[in-house]
Amino acid sequence: MSQVMETTIAGRTLKVEYGKVGMLSNAAVLVSYGDTVILINANASDKPREGIDFFPLSIEYEERLYAVGKIPGGFIKREGRPSEKAILHARAIDRPIRPLFPKGYRNDVQVVCTVLSVEQDNLPDILAMNGASIALSISSIPFSTPVGTVSVGQIDGEFIINPTLVQREKSVLNLTVCATKERIMMVEAGGKEIPEDEMYNAIIFGFEECKKIVAFQEEVMTKMGKTKVVPKLYKVDEAIEQEVRDFAFNMIKEAMYITDKDTRNAAIDSAKEKIDEQFGEKYPENGSDIADIVYGVQKEIVRNMMLNENRRPDGRNFDQIREIKCDVSLLPRTHGTGLFTRGLTQVMTVATLGALGDVQIIDGLGSEESKRYMHHYNFPSYSVGEVRPLRGPGRREIGHGALAEKALEPLIPNEDEFPYTIRLVSEVLSSNGSTSQASVCGSTLALLDAGVPIKRPAAGIAMGLITSEDLSKEKVITDIQGIEDFFGDMDFKVAGTEVGITAIQFDTKIHGLSNKCIRETLDKAREARIFILGKMNECISAPREEISKYAPKTYTMNIDPDKIRDVIGPGGKVINKIIAETGVKIDIKEDGKIFVMCDDSVCAKRALKIIDDLTRDVKVGEIYLGKVTKIATFGAFVEILPGKEGLVHISKLDFTRVNKVEDIVSVGDEILVKVTEIDNQGRVNLSRKDAIKDSEDKEVNNKESDNKESEE
């Protein structure tokens, strides 16, 4: 029997319906917000998965193009692999709910969010995040701490919950906040240089609304929820744990206190070999348990070192940034390159400039149809000194690329100011913490090197956190390296300019962050960002005055929008002919703006002249060099512009009487003609003798002027 519950968020109804569909799932709910509808199915395996040391949670965000009344493009008319946006939404759902499952839970859990209907005023990803929490909460799966999610916009200084499409287009902020009723679990933000105070206030504003959504979810749990199963949690044998700890603790501690990373890793590897020699034969069936114990000891030592001894693994102060090096123009043939090094983290970004027609076409559920600016991120195995097969980008690579793209997007000039498609590719050459924010810095260097007139340089920094078990004690860390990220409680990435924040992404391994922690992190991240920007400015402080000689040059012109069809021609015949003859790329906008791109300025100018001839109007009194296309007894027809002909009457062919037109001109001849009249029917009358007379008079005047100047 179907059960329905409703609440109101931002003046719109959020409805949850349980029991109507998906009867064989552990929990299946239809959630709707306005006309946006998503089916959420949550299921878990009956038994834990053996031989793993992680929680196997799988979040799937399934887009269906029928949700927006579209048929998929291409030859195969069905949805294929997830789009980048679908992957990003799945990651956003995963991050806040993963820490809320019981520690040691090893059952496979899958949450599938299928988007069935989309109204652009109500974002499906926000609804999916709330729906996933509801489905898990009412299922028998051991998840009992619901999270609420909202989007926050800002228009004219006012914050808006779940802004509509029109409001999002006007908003200077695109913020997603996910929280329990007590703490904030996850934040993603993009903004047009938002000051820290405003960003903090926006996050807290969203947090308060999240609390209301959580209260509603708790009511849903009470009415619809199943009895939670008592899970079998992975736990190490206490006797083995004590024995391993007694043998290994001091040895591991000594290794962990080595500040040099390579030396420390070598010492840890040596310690692990000794542990394996000691316990491998004694406990042959407990290899994974022993590895888990060693990991726990390492984590305990690092956390105690930082939280109670005020000491970081590499000896830095808690607000100290690693050594920074910047370089540009590394590659001779690319359009722009930037190399950013922070400690042992190193990213090289390459910028490529292309024609406006090179934009990425988007076949998705949103209102966006194309992207003129793209950022891609690659994380090869050699960046961490490992050997792995090289495959396509995974969820992590897509997520990091999207974050760096979001950080720089508000700073990219519009196409009127800089008529190019821009692609950035960040290659991670070495990784020891926060490569995504290093890619923001490397990308800024590459853009400046490519001559892209960005609004301002941007930089990024990753902040970390160490807390006590009861969360009463916490310490914020600036510029976390790999070991601090691995054993820490937070990865809080902040990117922006000297003016304000352009992107935030944070998630946590604990049950959320306090308001105080968020405030302190934002302030310390700003200090770090300003420091990094100063180092980047020493390398390159402004965009190059000219783009690379290897980048294509763009030329623009404006025509009457009503004449666009004359340039394109039937079936694209005219424009394709221009492209074939000149070798240029041509992009035409609806407002009549035309962009011609070519490496050769001569070819570009030739194409511009052809277009100008196609679109300019014939004017009375102007002289044209035309081609004779047809001869009649009464005169000659002359094409003066492409597709535009006029008649030179036999009486206007010469100064003397002409008996036959053929005595003066033949088909194919090029002659000067002057437009003497355009009649009411649009017919153009031409005169050869008037054109000759005007040309001779002009030549005489020029000679007289030259003689006068020489006499003076």
Side-chain angles (χ1 to χ4, degrees), residues 424-477:
L424 299 175
V425 180
S426 291
E427 305 284 358
V428 179
L429 307 182
S430 178
S431 173
N432 186 29
S434 188
T435 53
S436 68
Q437 298 311 287
S439 71
V440 173
C441 301
S443 296
T444 297
L445 296 173
L447 287 167
L448 295 174
D449 187 46
V452 180
I454 58 175
K455 189 175 181 181
R456 261 178 291 276
I461 190 71
M463 309 293 291
L465 177 73
I466 295 292
T467 62
S468 59
E469 194 71 29
D470 61 358
L471 303 182
S472 62
K473 202 173 176 184
E474 57 188 25
K475 190 173 289 290
V476 175
I477 311 163

Side-chain angles (χ1 to χ4, degrees), residues 477-699:
I477 311 163
T478 298
D479 182 23
I480 55 174
Q481 58 179 319
I483 190 173
E484 294 166 333
D485 185 12
F486 195 54
F487 294 124
D489 295 322
M490 172 183 82
D491 186 6
F492 198 131
K493 307 179 185 80
V494 186
T497 67
E498 62 182 5
V499 174
I501 296 168
T502 55
I504 288 179
Q505 183 183 91
F506 90 65
D507 49 69
T508 175
K509 301 172 187 175
I510 57 177
H511 285 208
L513 304 183
S514 66
N515 294 5
K516 174 180 173 293
C517 174
I518 294 173
R519 174 78 262 188
E520 182 181 352
T521 301
L522 290 174
D523 291 340
K524 289 189 174 181
R526 174 173 174 77
E527 294 174 9
R529 187 170 76 246
I530 298 302
F531 174 81
I532 296 170
L533 285 168
K535 293 291 185 180
M536 294 166 60
N537 186 63
E538 293 173 6
C539 175
I540 183 168
S541 58
R544 304 283 188 205
E545 292 185 2
E546 294 185 0
I547 64 174
S548 166
K549 64 181 180 180
Y550 298 111
K553 306 300 185 291
T554 297
Y555 304 82
T556 62
M557 66 181 295
N558 292 288
I559 65 171
D560 185 338
D562 291 337
K563 296 188 177 181
I564 291 175
R565 61 178 178 270
D566 297 331
V567 179
I568 296 175
K573 183 178 179 180
V574 175
I575 194 170
N576 287 333
K577 183 180 179 183
I578 299 172
I579 293 170
E581 289 179 358
T582 61
V584 302
K585 288 185 177 181
I586 301 175
D587 294 299
I588 304 177
K589 301 298 179 181
E590 292 181 356
D591 61 357
K593 182 164 287 186
I594 294 181
F595 300 90
V596 174
M597 182 170 283
C598 187
D599 296 333
D600 186 343
S601 62
V602 174
C603 293
K605 290 175 181 177
R606 183 181 169 203
L608 289 171
K609 184 179 185 310
I610 294 173
I611 295 171
D612 183 56
D613 288 344
L614 283 168
T615 56
R616 67 185 170 118
D617 293 323
V618 176
K619 294 182 180 179
V620 174
E622 285 194 356
I623 294 176
Y624 298 88
L625 178 63
K627 180 180 284 189
V628 178
T629 59
K630 182 182 176 182
I631 289 177
T633 56
F634 51 82
F637 290 91
V638 179
E639 184 180 52
I640 54 176
L641 290 173
K644 296 173 183 176
E645 286 187 344
L647 172 66
V648 182
H649 192 268
I650 191 170
S651 64
K652 300 290 186 181
L653 278 173
D654 203 1
F655 296 99
T656 60
R657 178 179 173 83
V658 178
N659 295 318
K660 289 178 63 178
V661 174
E662 291 88 338
D663 293 340
I664 304 298
V665 296
S666 301
V667 173
D669 287 351
E670 289 189 342
I671 61 173
L672 284 176
V673 291
K674 181 178 180 178
V675 179
T676 58
E677 179 190 19
I678 301 176
D679 66 19
N680 293 335
Q681 297 180 11
R683 292 177 298 191
V684 179
N685 292 320
L686 306 171
S687 171
R688 176 175 176 269
K689 69 180 184 181
D690 287 346
I692 294 172
K693 183 177 183 303
D694 285 0
S695 297
E696 290 175 348
D697 291 345
K698 184 177 180 181
E699 186 176 346

Side-chain angles (χ1 to χ4, degrees), residues 262-481:
D262 290 339
T263 308
R264 179 174 63 242
N265 288 344
I268 292 170
D269 289 341
S270 176
K272 288 180 178 179
E273 287 178 6
K274 293 177 181 178
I275 294 167
D276 187 57
E277 290 174 3
Q278 179 72 14
F279 299 104
E281 291 185 9
K282 187 174 182 180
Y283 301 112
E285 304 296 326
N286 299 93
S288 61
D289 289 349
I290 293 171
D292 199 60
I293 295 166
V294 172
Y295 168 82
V297 170
Q298 288 178 271
K299 184 175 181 179
E300 178 185 333
I301 291 169
V302 171
R303 294 174 66 84
N304 182 70
M305 179 197 306
M306 291 193 283
L307 190 62
N308 299 317
E309 299 178 10
N310 292 318
R311 183 183 185 281
R312 295 179 73 170
D314 60 359
R316 281 183 292 147
N317 296 328
F318 281 81
D319 59 355
Q320 184 179 350
I321 299 171
R322 290 169 287 176
E323 182 184 7
I324 290 174
K325 297 177 183 177
C326 302
D327 201 358
V328 294
S329 301
L330 280 79
L331 305 176
R333 288 273 177 165
T334 59
H335 302 162
T337 51
L339 181 67
F340 181 82
T341 307
R342 185 181 57 239
L344 293 176
T345 291
Q346 186 177 64
V347 174
M348 179 180 69
T349 298
V350 180
T352 305
L353 307 179
L356 290 174
D358 293 332
V359 296
Q360 179 184 357
I361 304 301
I362 298 174
D363 192 14
L365 301 183
S367 57
E368 188 181 31
E369 295 181 349
S370 64
K371 282 172 64 173
R372 172 178 156 258
Y373 156 63
M374 298 158 277
H375 188 286
H376 298 141
Y377 167 102
N378 295 318
F379 190 89
S381 57
Y382 62 71
S383 65
V384 287
E386 296 179 358
V387 178
R388 291 196 306 266
L390 295 179
R391 296 190 174 93
R395 290 191 171 196
R396 182 179 183 275
E397 285 86 348
I398 290 171
H400 281 11
L403 178 60
E405 183 175 291
K406 185 184 295 183
L408 292 165
E409 189 171 18
L411 311 173
I412 299 294
N414 62 41
E415 67 179 34
D416 290 334
E417 185 180 357
F418 193 72
Y420 289 89
T421 293
I422 304 168
R423 182 184 183 229
L424 299 175
V425 180
S426 291
E427 305 284 358
V428 179
L429 307 182
S430 178
S431 173
N432 186 29
S434 188
T435 53
S436 68
Q437 298 311 287
S439 71
V440 173
C441 301
S443 296
T444 297
L445 296 173
L447 287 167
L448 295 174
D449 187 46
V452 180
I454 58 175
K455 189 175 181 181
R456 261 178 291 276
I461 190 71
M463 309 293 291
L465 177 73
I466 295 292
T467 62
S468 59
E469 194 71 29
D470 61 358
L471 303 182
S472 62
K473 202 173 176 184
E474 57 188 25
K475 190 173 289 290
V476 175
I477 311 163
T478 298
D479 182 23
I480 55 174
Q481 58 179 319

